[in-house]
Amino acid sequence: MNTEEILPAVISVAEKILKSVPKNVNTETDFKDIPNWTSLNHALIINSIEQHYNIEFDLDEMIEVRNIGDICKLIMKKKA
Amino acid sequence: MTISFRVITVKELPDIAGSEYFAGSEEVPVTSHRALSLAANPCASDEDPAILLAIDEKNRLLGYWGFLSDHLDGNHTNKIMWNSGWRVMPGASHAAMPLLYKALQTCGNKILFSDLTLHTKQILEATGKVTVHTRKGIRWYFRSCSYELVSRRNFATKLLSPFFFFLDFDINLLFVPFLRKTRMPDGFKCIEVPSFNEDDQNFINSIDITSLSGRGIKELNWIKENPWIIPLEKDDPKNRSRYYFSSSEKHFETRFFRIQKEGQTIALAFMNNRNGHVTLPYFICKPGQEKAVAIAIASVTGTLKAKTFTTFNPLFLKSETDLSCISKKSISRFFAYGNKTGITFSEDILIQDGDGDCAFT
């Protein structure tokens, strides 16, 4: 499993919560550059990703998450 | 985008609050009186976290989180933290979630929240790291105070505020003179005391109730002696405008009462009066005496010239005491705890209205 494989799934989860996600979103995209990426939506997206992959992120890991790529890396780490 | 964190411990608080960094900041994460109060907390150790700062690469404040140390049910081996504020600066919303996760991590997720807004409740629930409970309470209105409510909302309602001023005047003129005065029950005495003493501690110990935070006289006296809200005239306007949460009020007072029946203490109460809005942060009563004591408390609200009286206290509500008022409404308060607090929540645990930082406001 690599970032390219995970990215579409992460975007799909985000799209379900945010209703729409800009087409140019990639692993470098900061959350603050995605419209409607509020604190509540952040928590909902992370929760949905945990359910989707049947994983649970630790607080230590969540503190460092700033962009889409960080989420992908965390999923890879958990699934390794 | 760099976010780094800095924990200010209880020991560091007094010095930090008086530091040059704080003096030069546009917004401060604590007032000097709140800092001194936190430093005097009998439940806190020197190394406990008091404030968590989120700062950027240029050392600018992005947000902060306040902690208040406590022990579950007075058990000094089971330390927990109350959240006493979560603030993110305008334009720094990207720091909100990292700050939340860092705060939960800092206290090992042994954290409690006493009075959440609906929005914060939704965020915390969505993290799955916190359990939320809804507490039911009642607010009695003894005066119409719609003017007060609308004048602090937004510009549109501010424009309408003169209308509400006259509406309040009319309602109060028509209804308030006919409100029934609640009288002290026969044989009861409500004695106002400047502080609680050892006899009061013995009384607290004699009541067989499991309380959530189990505050004793040391903690209650500390709260009264170290208020977080000071009189407006004692608060430096420059400092007040730099602090997001409450720092001062036109009128704020904490009052302690010992309720006796035929010379024997049967209840203790601690009431806050904030501009006429009275609350009951602490109330403990001998089992079986709830009804009469609640009436005694109700009679005190009259002497405090209360505009409203609000309580979620299950002992008070169990008594089903109804007060003569112009209106009343059921209200809800969201209470939450981190999944590592070790709380097994049940109706038998007494949560005081003032548990956590609510006692100070």
PDB file of all heavy atoms in Angstrom, chain B residues 102-123:
ATOM      1  N   LYS B 102      -3.122  17.822  21.434  1.00  0.00           N
ATOM      2  CA  LYS B 102      -1.968  18.016  22.328  1.00  0.00           C
ATOM      3  C   LYS B 102      -2.439  18.164  23.780  1.00  0.00           C
ATOM      4  O   LYS B 102      -1.805  17.641  24.706  1.00  0.00           O
ATOM      5  CB  LYS B 102      -1.183  19.265  21.889  1.00  0.00           C
ATOM      6  CG  LYS B 102       0.063  19.544  22.715  1.00  0.00           C
ATOM      7  CD  LYS B 102       1.137  18.489  22.502  1.00  0.00           C
ATOM      8  CE  LYS B 102       2.327  18.712  23.407  1.00  0.00           C
ATOM      9  NZ  LYS B 102       3.345  17.653  23.281  1.00  0.00           N
ATOM     10  N   ALA B 103      -3.575  18.859  23.966  1.00  0.00           N
ATOM     11  CA  ALA B 103      -4.108  19.037  25.325  1.00  0.00           C
ATOM     12  C   ALA B 103      -4.517  17.693  25.921  1.00  0.00           C
ATOM     13  O   ALA B 103      -4.212  17.398  27.080  1.00  0.00           O
ATOM     14  CB  ALA B 103      -5.299  19.989  25.291  1.00  0.00           C
ATOM     15  N   LEU B 104      -5.192  16.870  25.123  1.00  0.00           N
ATOM     16  CA  LEU B 104      -5.606  15.554  25.617  1.00  0.00           C
ATOM     17  C   LEU B 104      -4.378  14.708  25.952  1.00  0.00           C
ATOM     18  O   LEU B 104      -4.339  14.010  26.962  1.00  0.00           O
ATOM     19  CB  LEU B 104      -6.477  14.828  24.573  1.00  0.00           C
ATOM     20  CG  LEU B 104      -7.815  15.493  24.188  1.00  0.00           C
ATOM     21  CD1 LEU B 104      -8.574  14.628  23.187  1.00  0.00           C
ATOM     22  CD2 LEU B 104      -8.693  15.747  25.393  1.00  0.00           C
ATOM     23  N   GLN B 105      -3.362  14.816  25.103  1.00  0.00           N
ATOM     24  CA  GLN B 105      -2.131  14.041  25.333  1.00  0.00           C
ATOM     25  C   GLN B 105      -1.407  14.528  26.594  1.00  0.00           C
ATOM     26  O   GLN B 105      -0.902  13.725  27.374  1.00  0.00           O
ATOM     27  CB  GLN B 105      -1.204  14.169  24.110  1.00  0.00           C
ATOM     28  CG  GLN B 105       0.043  13.337  24.202  1.00  0.00           C
ATOM     29  CD  GLN B 105       1.261  14.079  23.663  1.00  0.00           C
ATOM     30  OE1 GLN B 105       1.410  15.279  23.842  1.00  0.00           O
ATOM     31  NE2 GLN B 105       2.120  13.333  22.973  1.00  0.00           N
ATOM     32  N   THR B 106      -1.373  15.854  26.782  1.00  0.00           N
ATOM     33  CA  THR B 106      -0.652  16.445  27.917  1.00  0.00           C
ATOM     34  C   THR B 106      -1.150  15.898  29.256  1.00  0.00           C
ATOM     35  O   THR B 106      -0.375  15.709  30.190  1.00  0.00           O
ATOM     36  CB  THR B 106      -0.777  17.989  27.884  1.00  0.00           C
ATOM     37  OG1 THR B 106      -0.234  18.438  26.643  1.00  0.00           O
ATOM     38  CG2 THR B 106      -0.051  18.663  29.033  1.00  0.00           C
ATOM     39  N   CYS B 107      -2.455  15.655  29.337  1.00  0.00           N
ATOM     40  CA  CYS B 107      -2.982  15.142  30.618  1.00  0.00           C
ATOM     41  C   CYS B 107      -3.350  13.663  30.506  1.00  0.00           C
ATOM     42  O   CYS B 107      -4.104  13.151  31.351  1.00  0.00           O
ATOM     43  CB  CYS B 107      -4.170  15.982  31.067  1.00  0.00           C
ATOM     44  SG  CYS B 107      -5.537  15.968  29.937  1.00  0.00           S
ATOM     45  N   GLY B 108      -2.816  12.988  29.519  1.00  0.00           N
ATOM     46  CA  GLY B 108      -3.082  11.556  29.362  1.00  0.00           C
ATOM     47  C   GLY B 108      -4.558  11.261  29.146  1.00  0.00           C
ATOM     48  O   GLY B 108      -5.042  10.189  29.512  1.00  0.00           O
ATOM     49  N   ASN B 109      -5.257  12.222  28.561  1.00  0.00           N
ATOM     50  CA  ASN B 109      -6.712  12.141  28.321  1.00  0.00           C
ATOM     51  C   ASN B 109      -7.502  11.934  29.621  1.00  0.00           C
ATOM     52  O   ASN B 109      -8.621  11.436  29.598  1.00  0.00           O
ATOM     53  CB  ASN B 109      -7.060  11.055  27.296  1.00  0.00           C
ATOM     54  CG  ASN B 109      -8.406  11.333  26.628  1.00  0.00           C
ATOM     55  OD1 ASN B 109      -8.996  12.392  26.829  1.00  0.00           O
ATOM     56  ND2 ASN B 109      -8.906  10.383  25.861  1.00  0.00           N
ATOM     57  N   LYS B 110      -6.895  12.327  30.758  1.00  0.00           N
ATOM     58  CA  LYS B 110      -7.657  12.304  32.019  1.00  0.00           C
ATOM     59  C   LYS B 110      -8.218  13.710  32.202  1.00  0.00           C
ATOM     60  O   LYS B 110      -7.721  14.508  33.001  1.00  0.00           O
ATOM     61  CB  LYS B 110      -6.743  11.906  33.185  1.00  0.00           C
ATOM     62  CG  LYS B 110      -6.306  10.446  33.101  1.00  0.00           C
ATOM     63  CD  LYS B 110      -5.465  10.055  34.279  1.00  0.00           C
ATOM     64  CE  LYS B 110      -6.324   9.624  35.428  1.00  0.00           C
ATOM     65  NZ  LYS B 110      -5.567   9.088  36.562  1.00  0.00           N
ATOM     66  N   ILE B 111      -9.221  14.003  31.401  1.00  0.00           N
ATOM     67  CA  ILE B 111      -9.730  15.372  31.337  1.00  0.00           C
ATOM     68  C   ILE B 111     -11.252  15.403  31.439  1.00  0.00           C
ATOM     69  O   ILE B 111     -11.927  14.456  31.014  1.00  0.00           O
ATOM     70  CB  ILE B 111      -9.236  16.059  30.036  1.00  0.00           C
ATOM     71  CG1 ILE B 111      -9.462  17.556  30.105  1.00  0.00           C
ATOM     72  CG2 ILE B 111      -9.897  15.461  28.780  1.00  0.00           C
ATOM     73  CD1 ILE B 111      -8.582  18.356  29.191  1.00  0.00           C
ATOM     74  N   LEU B 112     -11.740  16.481  32.011  1.00  0.00           N
ATOM     75  CA  LEU B 112     -13.190  16.675  32.152  1.00  0.00           C
ATOM     76  C   LEU B 112     -13.568  18.060  31.609  1.00  0.00           C
ATOM     77  O   LEU B 112     -12.767  18.997  31.667  1.00  0.00           O
ATOM     78  CB  LEU B 112     -13.591  16.598  33.621  1.00  0.00           C
ATOM     79  CG  LEU B 112     -13.449  15.225  34.278  1.00  0.00           C
ATOM     80  CD1 LEU B 112     -13.138  15.373  35.746  1.00  0.00           C
ATOM     81  CD2 LEU B 112     -14.701  14.408  34.093  1.00  0.00           C
ATOM     82  N   PHE B 113     -14.791  18.133  31.099  1.00  0.00           N
ATOM     83  CA  PHE B 113     -15.309  19.400  30.557  1.00  0.00           C
ATOM     84  C   PHE B 113     -16.650  19.657  31.254  1.00  0.00           C
ATOM     85  O   PHE B 113     -17.517  18.781  31.245  1.00  0.00           O
ATOM     86  CB  PHE B 113     -15.563  19.285  29.051  1.00  0.00           C
ATOM     87  CG  PHE B 113     -14.346  18.940  28.241  1.00  0.00           C
ATOM     88  CD1 PHE B 113     -13.899  17.625  28.155  1.00  0.00           C
ATOM     89  CD2 PHE B 113     -13.663  19.922  27.543  1.00  0.00           C
ATOM     90  CE1 PHE B 113     -12.786  17.300  27.396  1.00  0.00           C
ATOM     91  CE2 PHE B 113     -12.542  19.596  26.776  1.00  0.00           C
ATOM     92  CZ  PHE B 113     -12.095  18.287  26.704  1.00  0.00           C
ATOM     93  N   SER B 114     -16.825  20.838  31.820  1.00  0.00           N
ATOM     94  CA  SER B 114     -18.030  21.040  32.630  1.00  0.00           C
ATOM     95  C   SER B 114     -19.184  21.709  31.915  1.00  0.00           C
ATOM     96  O   SER B 114     -20.328  21.493  32.271  1.00  0.00           O
ATOM     97  CB  SER B 114     -17.679  21.825  33.891  1.00  0.00           C
ATOM     98  OG  SER B 114     -16.969  22.974  33.560  1.00  0.00           O
ATOM     99  N   ASP B 115     -18.921  22.545  30.947  1.00  0.00           N
ATOM    100  CA  ASP B 115     -20.027  23.297  30.343  1.00  0.00           C
ATOM    101  C   ASP B 115     -19.674  23.608  28.888  1.00  0.00           C
ATOM    102  O   ASP B 115     -19.158  24.673  28.578  1.00  0.00           O
ATOM    103  CB  ASP B 115     -20.250  24.590  31.145  1.00  0.00           C
ATOM    104  CG  ASP B 115     -21.495  25.326  30.707  1.00  0.00           C
ATOM    105  OD1 ASP B 115     -22.294  24.752  29.943  1.00  0.00           O
ATOM    106  OD2 ASP B 115     -21.679  26.489  31.128  1.00  0.00           O
ATOM    107  N   LEU B 116     -19.986  22.650  28.014  1.00  0.00           N
ATOM    108  CA  LEU B 116     -19.571  22.788  26.616  1.00  0.00           C
ATOM    109  C   LEU B 116     -20.619  23.515  25.782  1.00  0.00           C
ATOM    110  O   LEU B 116     -21.818  23.352  26.012  1.00  0.00           O
ATOM    111  CB  LEU B 116     -19.392  21.400  25.998  1.00  0.00           C
ATOM    112  CG  LEU B 116     -18.335  20.489  26.598  1.00  0.00           C
ATOM    113  CD1 LEU B 116     -18.504  19.079  26.053  1.00  0.00           C
ATOM    114  CD2 LEU B 116     -16.959  21.015  26.268  1.00  0.00           C
ATOM    115  N   THR B 117     -20.171  24.257  24.796  1.00  0.00           N
ATOM    116  CA  THR B 117     -21.110  24.780  23.802  1.00  0.00           C
ATOM    117  C   THR B 117     -21.486  23.611  22.892  1.00  0.00           C
ATOM    118  O   THR B 117     -20.767  22.593  22.839  1.00  0.00           O
ATOM    119  CB  THR B 117     -20.462  25.882  22.943  1.00  0.00           C
ATOM    120  OG1 THR B 117     -19.367  25.298  22.225  1.00  0.00           O
ATOM    121  CG2 THR B 117     -19.961  27.038  23.788  1.00  0.00           C
ATOM    122  N   LEU B 118     -22.569  23.763  22.164  1.00  0.00           N
ATOM    123  CA  LEU B 118     -23.020  22.692  21.271  1.00  0.00           C
ATOM    124  C   LEU B 118     -21.936  22.355  20.238  1.00  0.00           C
ATOM    125  O   LEU B 118     -21.669  21.191  19.942  1.00  0.00           O
ATOM    126  CB  LEU B 118     -24.321  23.116  20.574  1.00  0.00           C
ATOM    127  CG  LEU B 118     -24.913  22.104  19.595  1.00  0.00           C
ATOM    128  CD1 LEU B 118     -25.310  20.825  20.318  1.00  0.00           C
ATOM    129  CD2 LEU B 118     -26.127  22.700  18.879  1.00  0.00           C
ATOM    130  N   HIS B 119     -21.284  23.399  19.725  1.00  0.00           N
ATOM    131  CA  HIS B 119     -20.255  23.201  18.700  1.00  0.00           C
ATOM    132  C   HIS B 119     -19.062  22.417  19.254  1.00  0.00           C
ATOM    133  O   HIS B 119     -18.590  21.462  18.623  1.00  0.00           O
ATOM    134  CB  HIS B 119     -19.802  24.568  18.163  1.00  0.00           C
ATOM    135  CG  HIS B 119     -18.808  24.472  17.049  1.00  0.00           C
ATOM    136  ND1 HIS B 119     -19.080  23.812  15.875  1.00  0.00           N
ATOM    137  CD2 HIS B 119     -17.540  24.931  16.932  1.00  0.00           C
ATOM    138  CE1 HIS B 119     -18.023  23.879  15.085  1.00  0.00           C
ATOM    139  NE2 HIS B 119     -17.070  24.548  15.703  1.00  0.00           N
ATOM    140  N   THR B 120     -18.606  22.796  20.447  1.00  0.00           N
ATOM    141  CA  THR B 120     -17.466  22.085  21.045  1.00  0.00           C
ATOM    142  C   THR B 120     -17.858  20.648  21.372  1.00  0.00           C
ATOM    143  O   THR B 120     -17.065  19.724  21.191  1.00  0.00           O
ATOM    144  CB  THR B 120     -16.980  22.816  22.322  1.00  0.00           C
ATOM    145  OG1 THR B 120     -16.800  24.179  22.014  1.00  0.00           O
ATOM    146  CG2 THR B 120     -15.680  22.251  22.827  1.00  0.00           C
ATOM    147  N   LYS B 121     -19.086  20.470  21.838  1.00  0.00           N
ATOM    148  CA  LYS B 121     -19.585  19.115  22.137  1.00  0.00           C
ATOM    149  C   LYS B 121     -19.504  18.246  20.875  1.00  0.00           C
ATOM    150  O   LYS B 121     -19.040  17.102  20.922  1.00  0.00           O
ATOM    151  CB  LYS B 121     -21.023  19.205  22.621  1.00  0.00           C
ATOM    152  CG  LYS B 121     -21.751  17.879  22.687  1.00  0.00           C
ATOM    153  CD  LYS B 121     -23.261  18.105  22.736  1.00  0.00           C
ATOM    154  CE  LYS B 121     -24.027  16.824  22.694  1.00  0.00           C
ATOM    155  NZ  LYS B 121     -24.498  16.389  21.407  1.00  0.00           N
ATOM    156  N   GLN B 122     -19.936  18.813  19.756  1.00  0.00           N
ATOM    157  CA  GLN B 122     -19.935  18.040  18.504  1.00  0.00           C
ATOM    158  C   GLN B 122     -18.508  17.663  18.086  1.00  0.00           C
ATOM    159  O   GLN B 122     -18.259  16.537  17.651  1.00  0.00           O
ATOM    160  CB  GLN B 122     -20.613  18.844  17.390  1.00  0.00           C
ATOM    161  CG  GLN B 122     -22.104  18.969  17.590  1.00  0.00           C
ATOM    162  CD  GLN B 122     -22.750  19.981  16.658  1.00  0.00           C
ATOM    163  OE1 GLN B 122     -22.121  20.940  16.230  1.00  0.00           O
ATOM    164  NE2 GLN B 122     -24.023  19.778  16.371  1.00  0.00           N
ATOM    165  N   ILE B 123     -17.580  18.606  18.257  1.00  0.00           N
ATOM    166  CA  ILE B 123     -16.184  18.322  17.889  1.00  0.00           C
ATOM    167  C   ILE B 123     -15.631  17.202  18.772  1.00  0.00           C
ATOM    168  O   ILE B 123     -15.043  16.235  18.283  1.00  0.00           O
ATOM    169  CB  ILE B 123     -15.295  19.589  18.016  1.00  0.00           C
ATOM    170  CG1 ILE B 123     -15.734  20.648  17.012  1.00  0.00           C
ATOM    171  CG2 ILE B 123     -13.817  19.238  17.815  1.00  0.00           C
ATOM    172  CD1 ILE B 123     -15.062  22.005  17.207  1.00  0.00           C
TER     173      ILE B 123
END
